[in-house]
Amino acid sequence: MLQLNPDLTDLVSDAAATFMDRFHGIATITAAAPGRVNLIGEHIDYCDGFVMPFAIDRYVVIVGCANGTTQARISSEVSDEIVVLDLTLPQEVGEPKWANYLRGVIRGFQDRGHNIPGFDAFILSSVPGGAGLSSSAALESATATFLEGLLDTVLDTREKALLCQKAEHEFANCPCGIMDQFASCFGKPNRLILIDCQTGEPELIPFENPDLTVLISNTMVHHELSDGGYAARRKHTEDGLAILGKASWRDVSSADVQAHWEKLGDPINRRSRHVVGEISRTIAAAAALARNDFETLGPLMAASHDSLRDDFEVSCKELDLMVEIARKIGRSGGVIGARMTGGGFGGSTVTLCESRKASAIATTLASEYEKATGITPQIFASRPSQGAHLIGK
Ligand code: GLA
């Protein structure tokens, strides 16, 4: 039941072989960038909150080389089609949609004065798409890393993540926070990334206890973040802050939210309660994890999920079901905590559990979920991995 993670080396050789088939040349530049899972701190990266994701060992790989022209010719596993971009022009949003992530990142480099030489590239991914695991941030940061290789330049990591975030805002129409691109760019093996989204400071926190396993359960249910649900939530939080008359959510207490409950009105009062609660839960979770206090950490993850379900309303019945199954397995069955992860409206849950019971837990999650929904979920374990990097350069 527990899926194996495809090895990055295999992914790279498969990509290089397909590149050769499609472009009849040898790829000289190879970039890889991971997706992410978030342990806690959801929908507060755009509220000056704290988030605690890590880069997973699933990657978007881009292989390619300069082609001596002024065109980018890009192809992916999605279809045989080769998308052609005219690099003499500033990139704009266009069709097909998947290429917008690349156009947006290329535009970021163009806006910084880079003259991008023509190139051929092929993209292969082991990050499940639409699963709340940031396949789009992985594609953006892989593109940025590929361009670094092509231009023989290195961007500051923060600048690179922000360039990718801007591409997501302007070319994919999703007003996301900084979590996904930061996780994909700053990821390190055996480290969680605790991000203070007010200062934009990522802190790498050790996560190397072999007795702990993080299971990711993809419900295989997907709703587009760009369809308005995400933007609407973000707007609610902005309106809430304005009504509270504060400059930052970090200056708001739960007593402030209670005192202004009627004035905030529904649903902004509940959205506000989520933000304030989730900020303090994330701080408490980081402290609990540092002292291996799982009896505190588990209930914090549970409270995070309940708040996302009831107050922020970004969960869905499949995510709730997957979390419910994990809760039933419980501490005695090896589950420490479970919650939805990422933007929501479908996607994945994250289950922190004891390694020796992880395989049995995955089996129960998969079979109970399938029994109730008729959908076969995708369940795999993940460890914190290396962020965006060039391979063999
Ligand atoms: C998406 C966004 C992130 C973050 C999460 C929710 O993944 O891209 O910036 O807001 O949703 O925590």
Side-chain angles (χ1 to χ4, degrees), residues 36 41-46 176-180 225 230 342-343:
R36 64 98 190 92
E42 217 65 82
H43 279 279
I44 52 172
D45 59 344
Y46 50 82
C176 63
I178 58 171
M179 171 167 75
D180 304 350
L225 288 189
Y230 185 91

Side-chain angles (χ1 to χ4, degrees), residues 61-321:
V61 163
I62 306 185
V63 298
C65 61
N67 63 16
T69 74
T70 54
Q71 289 181 334
R73 298 190 295 231
I74 305 161
S75 164
S76 83
E77 62 191 311
V78 179
S79 77
D80 291 342
E81 170 191 32
I82 293 185
V83 176
V84 178
L85 308 178
D86 180 351
L87 296 169
T88 62
L89 301 172
Q91 295 304 296
E92 302 290 348
V93 175
E95 292 289 337
K97 282 204 169 51
W98 65 264
N100 283 330
Y101 299 103
L102 293 110
R103 291 189 185 95
V105 173
I106 294 173
R107 177 63 183 265
F109 277 76
Q110 290 177 324
D111 287 348
R112 279 166 178 74
H114 289 289
N115 188 7
I116 318 266
F119 65 89
D120 294 340
F122 176 72
I123 304 166
L124 190 59
S125 174
S126 61
V127 185
L133 301 173
S134 296
S135 57
S136 55
L139 177 54
E140 289 149 8
S141 44
T143 304
T145 306
F146 181 86
L147 293 179
E148 287 178 313
L150 184 72
L151 294 163
D152 210 7
T153 187
V154 178
L155 296 188
D156 167 71
T157 310
R158 174 178 286 98
E159 187 189 353
K160 178 159 132 181
L162 292 173
L163 183 158
C164 292
Q165 183 200 26
K166 190 164 185 237
E168 179 95 28
H169 286 187
E170 294 177 1
F171 282 71
N173 197 27
C174 180
C176 63
I178 58 171
M179 171 167 75
D180 304 350
Q181 291 79 10
F182 264 49
S184 187
C185 289
F186 281 101
K188 284 276 172 291
N190 300 319
R191 294 289 181 271
L192 304 180
I193 311 162
L194 178 65
I195 309 168
D196 178 339
C197 302
Q198 188 175 37
T199 60
E201 272 314 312
E203 186 190 341
L204 296 175
I205 301 196
F207 187 79
E208 42 202 348
N209 183 344
D211 298 336
L212 290 182
T213 290
V214 173
L215 288 180
I216 294 171
S217 305
N218 178 3
T219 62
M220 310 299 276
V221 175
H222 170 51
H223 308 281
E224 284 287 337
L225 288 189
S226 54
D227 73 358
Y230 185 91
R233 296 305 181 283
R234 188 167 179 160
K235 176 80 169 57
H236 287 157
T237 65
E238 286 161 7
D239 291 349
L241 194 62
I243 296 170
L244 290 163
K246 302 278 189 181
S248 166
W249 281 105
R250 292 281 271 282
D251 307 330
V252 181
S253 66
S254 43
D256 292 331
V257 174
Q258 279 312 319
H260 293 82
W261 194 256
E262 296 304 326
K263 194 174 169 203
L264 286 162
D266 194 71
I268 297 181
N269 44 18
R270 287 182 292 122
R271 308 288 191 254
S272 304
R273 180 165 61 189
H274 168 73
V275 172
V276 172
E278 189 75 355
I279 291 178
S280 62
R281 278 188 290 273
T282 306
I283 297 169
L289 192 64
R291 51 175 200 273
N292 285 330
D293 177 359
F294 304 128
E295 311 319 314
T296 300
L297 185 57
L300 287 167
M301 291 177 75
S304 168
H305 183 81
D306 293 352
S307 176
L308 289 157
R309 181 191 61 207
D310 301 333
D311 278 352
F312 219 67
E313 295 180 289
V314 290
S315 188
C316 63
K317 62 181 193 316
E318 293 84 359
L319 287 168
D320 294 343
L321 172 67

